[in-house]
Amino acid sequence: MNNYKIEHVVPHSDPMILLNRLNGYTDESGCCEVDISPDSLFYDESLRGVASYIGCEYMAQAIAAYAGALAKDRGDAVQIGFLIGTRKYKTYAPVFNNGSTLKVSVARLYQEESGLSVFECQIHDAETLLAEAKINVFQPQDPMQFIRENQ
């Protein structure tokens, strides 16, 4: 495992990089962290945190960071992927609270040669499970060709 900065493994630009760190990854899983603060994109002062439905995007970016790290390990460029959908997104708190550091864990359950994958994802604050879902993603061989064909 290499120690990549998050901005080097997700195909996003600031301010849309929502995660703070890639903590680790294996061939089958990854773990990232996000620090919740008033500087967080989507921070809502009235909630004193970030609404927990944003967790779906934290999970998607953790999948992107995992895939990006594996690509860099192979000497490949980081590619964009597409969030196809989520199944059974459950939250156990309405807000990710100011001052918390969330651990976003992703584990690949299934992958097709076509680029379609399914991940089991969880978000924890310390030992407390705050959200979980199965996320479906698609990473085509040539993302720009795919976009052109589907416009």
Side-chain angles (χ1 to χ4, degrees):
M1 180 193 89
N2 290 297
N3 188 20
Y4 297 116
K5 290 186 176 195
I6 196 71
E7 60 269 19
H8 296 154
V9 292
V10 294
H12 296 71
S13 302
D14 230 5
M16 288 309 297
I17 299 174
L18 304 183
L19 304 173
N20 295 98
R21 288 171 294 287
L22 171 63
N23 283 358
Y25 62 96
T26 67
D27 288 340
E28 301 297 323
S29 64
C31 184
C32 294
E33 286 184 341
V34 58
D35 301 322
I36 304 299
S37 76
D39 294 331
S40 300
L41 193 61
F42 304 112
Y43 186 87
D44 185 329
E45 190 61 47
S46 68
L47 298 175
R48 299 190 56 189
V50 174
S52 61
Y53 61 80
I54 300 299
C56 189
E57 182 60 24
Y58 292 158
M59 292 172 180
Q61 286 198 15
I63 293 168
Y66 153 81
L70 292 179
K72 287 184 77 64
D73 284 353
R74 293 188 305 269
D76 295 337
V78 174
Q79 297 288 327
I80 64 170
F82 302 94
L83 171 62
I84 301 297
T86 181
R87 293 182 290 141
K88 300 181 182 178
Y89 183 71
K90 296 179 188 173
T91 61
Y92 303 105
V95 175
F96 300 136
N97 293 316
N98 183 31
S100 60
T101 296
L102 307 180
K103 184 192 306 183
V104 185
S105 302
V106 300
R108 188 176 64 209
L109 298 176
Y110 175 78
Q111 183 173 9
E112 291 184 356
E113 286 184 33
S114 68
L116 180 67
S117 299
V118 179
F119 285 81
E120 184 168 36
C121 307
Q122 295 184 331
I123 299 175
H124 286 86
D125 181 5
E127 299 302 315
T128 303
L129 178 63
L130 299 179
E132 60 184 336
K134 290 195 174 44
I135 303 285
N136 302 327
V137 296
F138 178 59
Q139 189 173 39
Q141 292 292 326
D142 185 344
M144 298 316 291
Q145 173 81 21
F146 176 79
I147 290 169
R148 283 190 295 278
E149 290 174 356
N150 291 285
Q151 287 184 351

